Amino acid sequence: MQPTTEPLNTRTPIRTTFNPALEDIRMSPIVSISEEARARAKEFEKSGRPFVFFQRGEIDFPTPSFVVEAAKRGLDMGLTKYPKSGGEDFFKEAVAKRLRLDHEAGGIEPAHVVATYGGQEGLELSFKLFKSGAGFSPTWSCALENFVPFAQLDFVEVPLNRDFSVDFDRVESAVRGREFFYLNNPQNPTGKVFSEDELARIVDICTRHGVFVISDEAYEKIVYDGGRHHSLVRVPQDNVITVFTLSKTFAMTGWRLGYVVTRNPKVAKLMRLGNYTQTAGVTTFLQYAAAEAMSNVDGSRRAIATMVAEFQRRRDALFDGLKDLPGVAIDRPAGAFYMFPDFSEFIPRELSGPERNHYVYELLMEHGIASVYGSCFGRHFGDNVRLSFSATPVPVIHDAVERFRRVFR
Ligand code: PMP
């Protein structure tokens, strides 16, 4: 073929705006914060002191070995072919059985389960079912920066009260005329675990208004002080969509394994179609290993208990170290592995905008501590900062607390 000789400037210009579903996505500032933290850590560590990474939601535990072994067995068994759309039967059966056991979710059958690539894909597909929705603020940044634009949704944030309690009137006026309410329990970034009563009232409001509830239960097993996480998977209604992941429960963040549960057959069908369209289904030998994680009740309970006990020690070390600092208001997280202190008394009154939003974050960075500023989690908690203790052993937390004491003296 002859190369074209036509000069470039006579051609029709190439499109510079693409589908808004992708163009409108913003990369989470948490990613750029992590990059900045790595760069600043190098500099800081020249002083001979370690840098403290409180910004990440990564876990410093390995995946339990019985799950890893099951993945190898799955490969040896030849589970390397195209998956069944929406999930293999052995996976969905193991999930349904475990949900009935752990959450007393009577009536849950394999047909209610759809396998996804992590909670991330489960949530993305759930959001994509709709055109309008609402959810609490603060909230996990990905919901706002990725799922809302990707689904081209009209989404409204409903602020929690300063103590993270729920204003039900606000929930009610937000869902009126909308299609779903998104809830994350236990919650990232606050560590709040919603009570049974709060959940019942939210479901009741949504049901009265003909609205779906999307319940993101990524941190279902990470609950402290013997407290209980109440899953909405138990609610025998067709307006509830529950999204789970093995990422946090089984320290499997890199495996990308999750699942959606819904008693609504139309929703389950649309999810299967969406999952098939995007990826043609979740890797079969990974589903086999995930089924093993679910079915080995004793092994998984032991692994989870070990992790949660360690997270609780870290939470106590961090909370006890920070709770009396002047100008800092902190709630003791009841679940997940985040703390979301409020610095509004400490930040100079005259500051506003990005300068105010980044004030504490910057100060901590200077002292070798990476955090995430509150404005990443929506428009209502800009004076807060998220601290993750998912990958910081207790001695590191003690060192960090000393630094906080110097900053907030
Ligand atoms: N929901 C929340 C609130 C999260 O914080 C995360 C991960 N950080 C997820 C869902 C999804 O996790 P994954 O895609 O790894 O399953």
Side-chain angles (χ1 to χ4, degrees):
M1 199 166 74
Q2 287 293 315
T4 174
T5 52
E6 196 181 352
L8 265 181
N9 57 7
T10 65
R11 288 201 198 153
T12 308
I14 200 156
R15 286 176 68 94
T16 52
T17 50
F18 293 97
N19 188 334
L22 287 168
E23 279 268 24
D24 293 352
I25 290 176
R26 286 155 290 156
M27 193 42 109
S28 168
I30 300 176
V31 176
S32 48
I33 287 173
S34 288
E35 280 162 16
E36 186 186 352
R38 274 193 292 276
R40 290 180 70 160
K42 265 197 202 139
E43 207 40 48
F44 186 85
E45 284 173 351
K46 284 182 190 159
S47 69
R49 306 187 62 193
F51 195 86
V52 182
F53 295 93
F54 275 150
Q55 90 286 1
R56 347 167 33 194
E58 186 55 277
I59 299 173
D60 60 350
F61 281 89
T63 301
S65 57
F66 68 87
V67 186
V68 175
E69 290 307 318
K72 293 181 194 164
R73 266 201 320 279
L75 278 172
D76 289 338
M77 287 161 65
L79 293 173
T80 53
K81 307 293 181 199
Y82 278 124
K84 188 171 168 185
S85 133
E88 298 298 325
D89 292 338
F90 58 74
F91 174 75
K92 294 192 289 189
E93 275 158 21
V95 168
K97 202 166 165 198
R98 189 66 190 259
L99 289 173
R100 291 196 296 262
L101 179 72
D102 282 3
H103 296 301
E104 293 150 23
I108 288 296
E109 299 299 332
H112 301 140
V113 178
V114 181
T116 57
Y117 276 105
Q120 181 104 3
E121 192 196 12
L123 286 167
E124 177 251 306
L125 287 172
S126 303
F127 275 51
K128 220 166 177 176
L129 290 166
F130 304 108
K131 292 204 164 60
S132 66
F136 288 121
S137 174
T139 190
W140 181 37
S141 49
C142 215
L144 299 173
E145 278 145 14
N146 298 76
F147 308 143
V148 164
F150 194 58
Q152 293 289 286
L153 274 174
D154 168 15
F155 188 83
V156 63
E157 295 177 35
V158 180
L160 289 170
N161 296 322
R162 297 309 306 177
D163 63 354
F164 308 141
S165 59
V166 178
D167 183 333
F168 295 98
D169 292 336
R170 280 186 126 138
V171 173
E172 179 137 22
S173 51
V175 299
R176 208 170 270 131
R178 289 180 180 269
E179 294 168 325
F180 76 88
F181 190 80
Y182 167 65
L183 165 89
N184 166 220
N185 176 38
Q187 210 210 25
N188 175 4
T190 59
K192 175 185 171 73
V193 177
F194 287 81
S195 71
E196 198 169 14
D197 178 57
E198 284 174 320
L199 293 166
R201 289 178 70 179
I202 293 165
V203 172
D204 177 59
I205 291 169
C206 290
T207 306
R208 275 193 285 109
H209 287 274
V211 169
F212 276 84
V213 183
I214 299 176
S215 182
D216 171 358
E217 306 191 3
Y219 300 90
E220 55 164 334
K221 298 283 188 265
I222 306 176
V223 178
Y224 305 122
D225 308 317
R228 178 139 188 231
H229 156 252
H230 297 276
S231 175
L232 291 193
V233 79
R234 291 177 67 186
V235 178
Q237 290 179 194
D238 64 0
N239 66 329
V240 177
I241 301 169
T242 338
V243 182
F244 295 94
T245 172
L246 280 80
S247 286
K248 318 285 177 178
T249 308
F250 295 99
M252 288 170 68
T253 50
W255 294 56
R256 314 307 309 129
L257 268 166
Y259 52 96
V260 175
V261 185
T262 174
R263 297 176 199 243
N264 185 316
K266 179 75 196 271
V267 169
K269 182 181 167 205
L270 294 176
M271 293 270 173
R272 282 195 293 273
L273 289 171
N275 171 257
Y276 175 75
T277 305
Q278 296 188 149
T279 62
V282 176
T283 314
T284 41
F285 65 89
L286 297 184
Q287 288 191 57
Y288 179 78
E292 177 64 24
M294 299 277 164
S295 305
N296 185 340
V297 175
D298 289 341
S300 59
R301 284 190 175 156
R302 266 197 305 275
I304 293 164
T306 305
M307 276 199 301
V308 172
E310 172 60 15
F311 289 146
Q312 183 164 320
R313 281 191 284 276
R314 295 175 187 178
R315 182 215 46 181
D316 290 343
L318 191 58
F319 180 77
D320 292 342
L322 303 188
K323 68 179 195 282
D324 297 326
L325 289 182
V328 187
I330 313 190
D331 257 49
R332 182 196 291 267
F337 34 61
Y338 305 106
M339 210 172 277
F340 199 52
D342 173 0
F343 294 91
S344 46
E345 294 295 314
F346 176 81
I347 305 171
R349 278 180 209 289
E350 63 277 14
L351 294 186
S352 61
E355 222 186 336
R356 184 173 186 90
N357 287 342
H358 297 176
Y359 184 78
V360 172
Y361 163 81
E362 267 304 326
L363 213 51
L364 292 176
M365 225 18 148
E366 282 162 24
H367 286 76
I369 298 173
S371 61
V372 180
Y373 38 86
S375 57
C376 288
F377 306 100
R379 52 180 84 235
H380 294 281
F381 286 80
D383 286 350
N384 292 53
V385 157
R386 188 188 79 174
L387 307 171
S388 164
F389 47 89
S390 62
T392 43
V394 169
V396 176
I397 292 177
H398 284 150
D399 178 19
V401 163
E402 284 308 310
R403 298 184 206 181
F404 268 94
R405 293 230 164 98
R406 274 198 293 282
V407 180
F408 298 95
R409 208 170 11 215

